[in-house]
Amino acid sequence: MAKTPETEHPVKAFGWAARDTSGTFSPFNFSRRATGERDVQFKVLYCGICHSDLHMSKNEWGITQYPIVPGHEIVGVVTEVGSKVEKYKIGDKVGVGCLVGSCGQCDQCSIDLENYCPKQIWSFNSTYHDGTILYGGFSDIMVADESFIIRWPENLPQNVGAPLLCAGITMYSPLRYFGLDKPGLNVGIVGLGGLGHVGVKFAKAFGAKVTIISTSSSKKKEAIEHLGADEFLVSSDPEQMQAAASTLDGIIDTVSAVHPLGPLLSLLKPHSKLIIVGNPGKPLEVPIFPILSGRKAVVGSAIGGQKEVQEMIDFAAKHNVFPDVEMIPLDYLNTAMERLLKSDVKYRFVIDVAKSLKSK
């Protein structure tokens, strides 16, 4: 007799799952593996909601395995540790981001870039080493190998900080890797959503001058007065774009919809990079002439390795880089997904998991 999600492991767990392409969530009983010798189990207190959770719940990328429990911006408190765990103890504040495993042997793993390991294991909707499907942080407990656990700084609120585990590292890593983390540089950020607003905060913490590039002026006041951006460009305004031509040292593009890259390339100084971190789902057209004539590059970046995620979390705590969040209960999840689809959130939903389940 085939085992069900509720019986395949010994530890009972509860969460909210989507069961088909409607992406509608409802309560879900399942199970977690027993805490292995190098595992850390923790009670989930909060979990951020990422746009990829929405895509995955509806199988928009064609890889979803139902039922699916998303969530990869997961924070909580340690409840159990394996016999060979050295870094953590019961009661520690911890987090788990996008990854919970990798091969540990390839050239990328050897330089702390597990995020580029060809055998990376994601926090949910992936198959773990034991052959079972993983469930994410829209749930009451989590278990992961200690190598993929992030130590949480005492002065970083877990509810506000949860989105750093995906949105934060997605912006921090390219700023660091491509050298845009130096005072005085002019950094452009395309889109002012969950990713973009955190990018502004990190870039400013590095001492950069930040220009937001958006399709309309509706977020200009918010960007400059609240988030601290220095400039705001409306990409549909030819005069503004022309005036800003060749002024930026680098651009991070967070947009997950199909959009033209030519106008963005025109803003770059020669020898600079347009860094793609959004995933439109369909191919983008890349105009070649501006790349050739300015020795410019279009490149990509995806999250970060565990060492860099810890570095990012510690940096955020030290420099008060806190995402702007809206706290919600678990049973608001379907409404939150509808609002996320309309970009109706400033700027990241975070589920108050523990409070939601107190009465359960």
Side-chain angles (χ1 to χ4, degrees):
M1 182 176 172
K3 290 190 175 182
T4 66
E6 194 171 359
T7 61
E8 68 181 346
H9 294 299
V11 181
K12 290 184 178 181
F14 175 81
W16 277 52
R19 291 169 168 82
D20 54 46
T21 56
S22 70
T24 301
F25 286 87
S26 57
F28 177 61
N29 290 299
F30 65 106
S31 55
R32 297 282 191 195
R33 70 179 184 270
T35 304
E37 61 183 17
R38 298 193 184 279
D39 282 341
V40 174
Q41 184 194 95
F42 64 94
K43 176 183 179 181
V44 178
L45 298 182
Y46 307 100
C47 186
I49 301 178
C50 174
H51 218 280
S52 61
D53 296 325
L54 176 62
H55 290 303
M56 289 294 292
S57 68
K58 294 177 178 289
N59 196 27
E60 290 177 353
W61 293 337
I63 57 173
T64 300
Q65 304 176 78
Y66 293 106
I68 182 172
V69 178
H72 55 272
E73 299 175 341
I74 316 161
V75 293
V77 177
V78 175
T79 52
E80 188 177 18
V81 297
S83 59
K84 293 187 178 180
V85 169
E86 299 176 352
K87 301 178 187 174
Y88 304 99
K89 64 183 185 304
I90 293 172
D92 284 351
K93 294 179 180 178
V94 295
V96 163
C98 302
L99 298 178
V100 293
S102 67
C103 78
Q105 300 173 334
C106 68
D107 56 350
Q108 297 304 301
C109 286
S110 70
I111 55 173
D112 301 310
L113 291 174
E114 302 90 351
N115 51 314
Y116 297 118
C117 171
K119 296 181 180 179
Q120 60 189 211
I121 301 174
W122 297 91
S123 302
F124 69 92
N125 198 63
S126 281
T127 302
Y128 199 57
H129 301 300
D130 62 4
T132 61
I133 302 301
L134 293 170
Y135 300 107
F138 295 1
S139 59
D140 58 351
I141 61 170
M142 189 74 186
V143 60
D145 185 286
E146 74 168 328
S147 299
F148 290 86
I149 297 282
I150 298 300
R151 179 172 297 282
W152 204 264
E154 279 298 324
N155 64 322
L156 180 60
Q158 285 188 294
N159 57 343
V160 172
L164 292 170
L165 291 166
C166 176
I169 191 60
T170 296
M171 301 304 288
Y172 180 91
S173 186
L175 285 168
R176 294 277 285 156
Y177 182 78
F178 294 106
L180 299 176
D181 57 348
K182 298 172 180 62
L185 291 181
N186 294 318
V187 176
I189 294 177
V190 189
L192 193 61
L195 295 177
H197 95 284
V198 175
V200 174
K201 296 187 179 194
F202 273 121
K204 292 298 292 183
F206 286 130
K209 179 182 176 183
V210 179
T211 297
I212 291 292
I213 304 150
S214 185
T215 54
S216 78
S217 60
S218 62
K219 294 182 179 179
K220 181 176 181 178
K221 184 177 180 181
E222 174 87 2
I224 293 175
E225 294 183 7
H226 175 62
L227 297 175
D230 299 281
E231 302 288 343
F232 192 98
L233 284 177
V234 178
S235 57
S236 57
D237 186 325
E239 289 186 12
Q240 284 190 33
M241 295 294 282
Q242 180 59 41
S246 303
T247 61
L248 300 180
D249 294 293
I251 296 174
I252 301 181
D253 185 351
T254 73
V255 176
S256 57
V258 174
H259 58 289
L261 300 184
L264 302 177
L265 288 166
S266 72
L267 300 174
L268 289 171
K269 295 176 181 178
H271 328 297
S272 299
K273 296 177 177 67
L274 170 60
I275 306 156
I276 308 289
V277 299
N279 183 6
K282 294 182 180 180
L284 297 176
E285 290 188 7
V286 180
I288 299 302
F289 183 73
I291 292 176
L292 298 177
S293 61
R295 196 159 69 173
K296 300 173 184 179
V298 178
V299 298
S301 181
I303 58 172
Q306 293 305 109
K307 182 179 179 181
E308 190 174 40
V309 175
Q310 187 68 65
E311 175 190 302
M312 177 273 304
I313 287 288
D314 294 339
F315 181 93
K318 182 178 179 180
H319 296 275
N320 296 319
V321 178
F322 300 161
D324 289 12
V325 305
E326 179 179 335
M327 302 300 301
I328 64 167
L330 257 173
D331 59 13
Y332 188 78
L333 189 50
N334 289 312
T335 303
M337 289 297 188
E338 290 172 9
R339 288 179 54 193
L340 184 59
L341 190 60
K342 303 171 187 173
S343 300
D344 177 25
V345 57
K346 287 185 178 178
Y347 283 93
R348 203 73 157 185
F349 286 118
V350 173
I351 305 168
D352 190 335
V353 177
K355 186 177 179 181
S356 300
L357 298 179
K358 267 185 180 177
S359 59
K360 178 181 170 287

